């Protein structure tokens, strides 16, 4: 080894030691003191994997520092520790250890790690946490009893939510599920949530008719964003209410109301097979003109009427206000954080009244 290479190696070791000083206790993801929220895979019993935004890792721990181990380049996470302000960290390429916090006060802490982006391109895997020497996980936190499922497209994912309206392409760094109407709604209603959402997806055709084999009804039965492989066990999470925010992509380009109606009809049948008692709410998004909104509501109402005729009166439509850009815009015409907050303010009282959640 050359003198230069040896010096660089020693420097790397010193930096690594400084970064993880005191964080020598590793707790595997398989530890039952971790709590997870969202569709996760335990195909490897030592790890937890997922692809959808909003997946949460929760725990309580002792010590003054914490780092997480994931697959390198798994993307962006929102970190919440105790009552501190949340912040974003990135799992970068070539690095499997991401520092979360150091110099915390001695004592017990509550940690919430939230996956901020859609992960089909990142394939995130959580291996566990590094804690201080002699530190440990404590009894796990409890999750709320109320349960919501959000099924949607780029708006639900928080596409471009931190953008300024000038971006002409997609950036993971500008996506943040914790600023979305879905996250804010679940927080306000003190509910758990699961998210099954992907930018560009539809109920009968994706954006401009692209990748037709990957519409939501084909993806939905699976744990990951895929049309094959591991199937999700629906007994693990039975939501009280399912919010279906699909239709924006279906109504781009050349679409038909007949096709749209058929798509919702088939998807509701799929949902009813899995969630017999759940209330279903079709969400009409804010990124469509009058004709597309009316066509979407026509298709949805036809399916609602069909189910009502069969005695199922637990399907509803909720319409967000059309965007007037007064609150600014996120990337590529998508709602920004301010607009998502407004959407949440619209949806929260509707669900609270519908579900009789005080």
């Amino acid at each position: 080894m050359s003198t230069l290479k040896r010096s660089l190696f020693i420097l790397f070791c010193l930096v690594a030691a400084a970064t993880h000083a005191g964080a020598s206790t590793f707790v595997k993801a398989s530890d039952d003191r971790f709590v997870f929220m969202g569709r996760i895979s335990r195909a490897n019993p030592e790890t937890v994997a997922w692809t959808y935004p909003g997946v949460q890792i929760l725990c309580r721990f002792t010590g003054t520092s914490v780092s997480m181990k994931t697959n390198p380049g798994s993307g962006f996470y929102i970190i919440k520790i105790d009552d501190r302000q949340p912040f974003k960290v990135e799992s970068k390429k070539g690095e499997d250890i991401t520092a979360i916090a150091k110099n915390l006060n001695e004592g017990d802490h509550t940690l919430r790690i939230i996956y901020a982006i859609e992960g089909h391109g990142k394939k995130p895997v959580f291996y566990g946490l590094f804690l201080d020497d002699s530190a440990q996980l404590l009894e796990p936190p409890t999750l709320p009893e109320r349960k919501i499922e959000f099924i949607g497209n780029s708006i639900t994912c928080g596409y471009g939510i931190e953008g300024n309206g000038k971006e002409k392409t997609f950036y993971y760094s500008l996506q943040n599920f914790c600023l979305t109407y879905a996250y804010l709604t679940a927080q306000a209603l003190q509910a758990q949530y699961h998210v099954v959402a992907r930018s560009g997806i539809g109920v009968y055709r994706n954006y401009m008719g692209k990748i037709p084999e990957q519409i939501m009804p084909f993806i939905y039965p699976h744990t990951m964003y895929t049309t094959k492989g591991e199937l999700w066990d629906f007994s693990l999470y039975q939501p009280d209410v399912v919010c279906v925010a699909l239709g924006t992509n279906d109504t781009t380009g050349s679409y038909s109301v007949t096709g749209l109606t058929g798509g919702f009809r088939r998807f509701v049948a799929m949902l009813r097979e899995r969630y017999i008692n759940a209330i279903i709410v079709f969400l009409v998004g804010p990124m469509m003109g009058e004709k597309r909104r009316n066509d979407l509501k026509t298709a949805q109402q036809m399916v609602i009427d069909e189910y009502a005729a069969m005695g199922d009166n637990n399907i509803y439509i909720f319409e967000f206000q059309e965007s007037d850009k007064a609150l600014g815009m996120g990337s590529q015409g998508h709602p920004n954080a301010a607009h998502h907050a407004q959407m949440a303010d619209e949806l929260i009282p509707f669900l609270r009244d519908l579900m009789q959640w005080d």
Side-chain angles (χ1 to χ4, degrees):
M1 182 182 291
S2 69
T3 302
L4 176 60
K5 287 184 177 179
R6 185 179 295 109
S7 298
L8 289 173
F9 177 74
I10 293 173
L11 178 61
F12 172 80
C13 292
L14 290 173
V15 171
T19 300
H20 301 295
S24 58
T25 299
F26 183 65
V27 186
K28 292 183 179 180
S30 56
D31 194 297
D32 59 12
R33 290 169 295 182
F34 283 115
V35 174
F36 299 93
M37 184 190 301
R39 283 198 186 187
I40 59 170
S41 171
R42 291 184 179 271
N44 179 345
E46 295 296 304
T47 66
V48 169
W50 66 90
T51 54
Y52 292 116
V55 166
Q56 293 197 26
I57 303 162
L58 302 94
C59 67
R60 297 174 59 245
F61 69 96
T62 62
T64 63
S65 69
V66 58
S67 298
M68 68 175 176
K69 182 175 181 179
T70 64
N71 56 317
S74 60
F76 293 89
Y77 299 79
I78 300 300
I79 307 299
K80 293 188 174 185
I81 300 177
D82 301 330
D83 295 325
R84 298 181 174 207
Q85 282 293 108
F87 57 93
K88 184 186 286 189
V89 300
E90 180 183 6
S91 166
K92 298 179 180 179
K93 292 182 179 179
E95 299 179 5
D96 62 348
I97 308 298
T98 302
I100 292 177
K102 59 182 180 179
N103 299 322
L104 297 172
N105 295 330
E106 292 283 356
D108 302 348
H109 301 285
T110 299
L111 172 66
R112 187 183 299 260
I113 302 171
I114 308 164
Y115 195 59
I117 64 177
E118 47 192 308
H120 52 276
K122 298 289 187 178
K123 298 180 174 57
V125 179
F126 175 69
Y127 292 87
L129 295 179
F130 285 97
L131 304 176
D132 290 344
D133 186 26
S134 77
Q136 62 180 335
L137 293 189
L138 302 171
E139 286 299 307
T142 58
L143 295 176
E145 293 185 3
R146 298 169 179 174
K147 296 178 181 178
I148 306 175
E149 180 165 279
F150 293 98
I151 303 170
N153 49 39
S154 58
I155 300 175
T156 301
C157 291
Y159 184 110
I161 198 169
E162 294 186 340
N164 58 21
K166 298 179 181 179
E167 298 82 12
K168 297 181 179 179
T169 188
F170 172 79
Y171 296 97
Y172 281 114
S173 60
L174 298 179
Q175 197 169 41
N176 187 343
F177 178 76
C178 290
L179 298 177
T180 65
Y181 78 90
Y183 181 83
L184 297 175
T185 296
Q187 287 290 101
L189 295 175
Q190 298 180 318
Q192 294 185 52
Y193 64 80
H194 275 207
V195 178
V196 183
R198 161 72 155 94
S199 293
I201 205 166
V203 73
Y204 102 99
R205 61 191 295 272
N206 291 339
Y207 177 73
M208 299 301 287
K210 296 179 180 180
I211 46 175
E213 72 279 4
Q214 293 183 15
I215 58 175
M216 182 59 77
F218 296 164
I219 299 296
Y220 188 72
H222 299 271
T223 302
M224 306 291 207
Y225 178 80
T226 180
T227 57
K228 58 184 178 181
E230 181 182 349
L231 295 174
W232 174 246
D233 181 355
F234 286 87
S235 69
L236 295 175
Y237 188 81
Q238 286 285 306
D240 302 302
V241 57
V242 181
C243 294
V244 182
L246 297 172
T248 300
N249 292 306
D250 299 84
T251 55
T252 54
S254 179
Y255 70 92
S256 74
V257 175
T258 299
L260 193 58
T261 304
F264 277 108
R265 181 183 294 121
R266 288 185 291 272
F267 192 51
V268 169
M270 180 178 288
L271 292 175
R272 270 290 170 256
E273 182 181 349
R274 291 158 174 81
Y275 305 138
I276 297 174
N277 298 315
I279 290 176
I280 297 172
V281 179
F282 294 137
L283 303 182
V284 179
M287 290 175 59
M288 296 178 285
E290 184 177 1
K291 182 182 185 306
R292 290 169 62 197
R293 291 171 75 87
N294 288 338
D295 286 345
L296 178 58
K297 289 185 292 183
T298 295
Q300 293 170 339
Q301 191 62 54
M302 289 179 68
V303 175
I304 289 173
D305 291 344
E306 291 171 4
Y307 273 82
M310 296 185 288
D312 184 344
N313 295 297
N314 285 323
I315 309 176
Y316 299 84
I317 295 176
F318 177 82
E319 186 174 3
F320 289 113
Q321 294 181 34
E322 181 72 13
S323 172
D324 62 3
K325 302 183 181 180
L327 296 171
M329 299 296 294
S331 301
Q332 296 180 292
H334 285 74
N336 61 9
H339 192 180
H340 271 274
Q342 176 180 291
M343 292 169 65
D345 287 343
E346 296 170 16
L347 182 58
I348 289 165
F350 174 83
L351 290 181
R352 180 177 283 122
D353 181 63
L354 179 67
M355 304 303 298
Q356 298 182 12
W357 285 346
D358 296 331

